[in-house]
Amino acid sequence: MTYQLLTIERRRYGVTWIIVDNSPANAIGEELMQELEAAVDDLAADSAVRVVVVASSNPKIFLAGADLKGMVMQSGNLADEENFIAKKSARMQACFQRFASMPKPVIAAINGYALGGGCELALACDFRLMGNGKIGLTEVSLGLIPGAGGTQRLTQIVGRAKAMELIFLAKKLTAEEAVENGLIHRSVDPTNFEAEVTAFAEELAKGAVHAMGLAKQSINAVDKGLEQGLQVEAQAFADTFLTDEPSIGLAAFFQKQAANFIQE
Ligand code: COA
């Protein structure tokens, strides 16, 4: 697919950046969602892509959430189609779920405002590294609620009590506050943002990324309950042997060498 609102940059060690450029605020409308869906499928299927980084070309805004202007303009469709808004919400949920289930590590590189749906996309990523800006599920301040997975993922990530507080009060947190609340993994010096994200992404990319993908599948199965989760884990453990990573890792261990999982 040819992208208009995204740039896909393939960098060293299979680290691949999805850079969103949907001026003025990287709001998520239909076109951006279609491109995100296509990109996530392309990169998930591409074995040369070892780690995905989601970022923005806007120096101040990561993603400003759902397209509020589009929402207002489309409000006329409410009468036309049954459950129009619920379908829109489900569409965005499904798009972000594809990021959450991508079988490789996904990093949200948040260097600006990540509000509403922008925060929800970040919550669907495996790692959230943040420099400038503020992050939060701010929908309630507009009389809405998070509808792209935010009520579920924020609750899983920070716990029920904290999620209630952050969502009800539409809190916008700085990187330091977001670390304190357990919403992001790391606060990064904004002046060294890209270099620090790159260093972390490359550290992951040099590892056994297929094993990481299988561990992710297994971790995600925690929602299914212990019995089913253990079944998923056992199968994922077995599936590690479908790749060459165990032979590389085990051989390196016995040779007392560092494992090199990136085979040319
Ligand atoms: N959807 C559509 N357009 C949006 C938008 C959104 N979610 N967020 C911002 N914009 C538009 C603004 O209307 C403005 O357009 P204009 O130039 O035609 O007036 C433009 O983007 C720039 O936004 P502005 O508010 O002037 O920039 P800022 O730098 O002062 O603030 C934000 C940036 C992201 C903090 C602010 O725009 C904001 O709070 N946006 C809404 C975020 C939100 O509530 N998202 C939840 C959606 S459910």
Side-chain angles (χ1 to χ4, degrees):
M1 171 166 184
T2 313
Y3 298 103
Q4 308 297 326
L5 306 177
L6 303 178
T7 305
I8 309 293
E9 279 188 22
R10 290 160 191 275
R11 300 189 186 175
R12 277 198 310 191
Y13 308 121
V15 174
T16 300
W17 289 60
I18 301 176
I19 303 170
V20 181
D21 183 5
N22 187 22
S23 186
N26 282 347
I28 309 163
E30 178 63 25
E31 292 80 13
L32 180 53
M33 209 155 43
Q34 272 177 17
E35 292 198 11
L36 287 170
E37 284 167 352
V40 79
D41 287 353
D42 280 357
L43 301 189
D46 186 341
S47 61
V49 175
R50 298 176 67 78
V51 171
V52 173
V53 179
V54 183
S56 159
S57 66
N58 185 318
K60 198 178 155 195
I61 301 172
F62 174 68
L63 289 125
D67 179 6
L68 297 173
K69 287 178 185 164
M71 208 183 276
V72 171
M73 284 191 316
Q74 286 175 341
S75 52
N77 292 347
L78 294 182
D80 301 344
E81 198 186 330
E82 200 186 339
N83 245 341
F84 175 77
I85 297 181
K87 284 179 187 160
K88 279 271 178 201
S89 170
R91 172 89 192 277
M92 210 156 162
Q93 287 173 347
C95 175
F96 293 176
Q97 182 57 29
R98 283 147 99 156
F99 282 85
S101 56
M102 218 195 288
K104 52 192 84 182
V106 184
I107 301 168
I110 307 159
N111 200 22
Y113 287 96
L115 303 178
C119 176
E120 288 173 301
L121 177 56
L123 294 173
C125 297
D126 304 320
F127 297 98
R128 286 164 292 286
L129 273 51
M130 184 170 167
N132 276 321
K134 293 200 173 173
I135 186 166
L137 293 177
T138 50
E139 290 89 342
V140 167
S141 69
L142 303 170
L144 304 167
I145 71 162
T151 61
Q152 306 304 296
R153 291 208 172 88
L154 188 70
T155 306
Q156 285 173 335
I157 290 168
V158 303
R160 189 183 167 91
K162 192 53 84 180
M164 293 278 186
E165 184 187 353
L166 296 176
I167 290 173
F168 285 16
L169 297 176
K171 288 276 193 190
K172 295 180 202 170
L173 307 177
T174 62
E176 287 74 19
E177 291 165 341
V179 169
E180 276 168 31
N181 282 276
L183 202 157
I184 66 163
H185 293 75
R186 197 185 295 178
S187 163
V188 172
D189 175 1
T191 61
N192 200 29
F193 186 72
E194 190 167 332
E196 282 203 38
V197 172
T198 298
F200 179 62
E202 290 186 351
E203 184 184 346
L204 288 169
K206 289 177 189 170
V209 290
H210 297 296
M212 292 178 204
L214 288 163
K216 175 169 169 174
Q217 187 187 25
S218 199
I219 291 166
N220 285 343
V222 77
D223 303 333
K224 299 176 194 276
L226 185 62
E227 203 174 320
Q228 250 190 292
L230 290 175
Q231 284 172 17
V232 172
E233 183 186 79
Q235 188 56 52
F237 182 78
D239 289 349
T240 59
F241 291 93
L242 299 175
T243 77
D244 54 6
E245 286 178 350
S247 56
I248 294 169
L250 292 166
F253 173 77
F254 288 116
Q255 288 161 11
K256 301 192 188 305
Q257 290 174 351
N260 177 11
F261 290 105
I262 302 184
Q263 305 285 298
E264 294 307 327

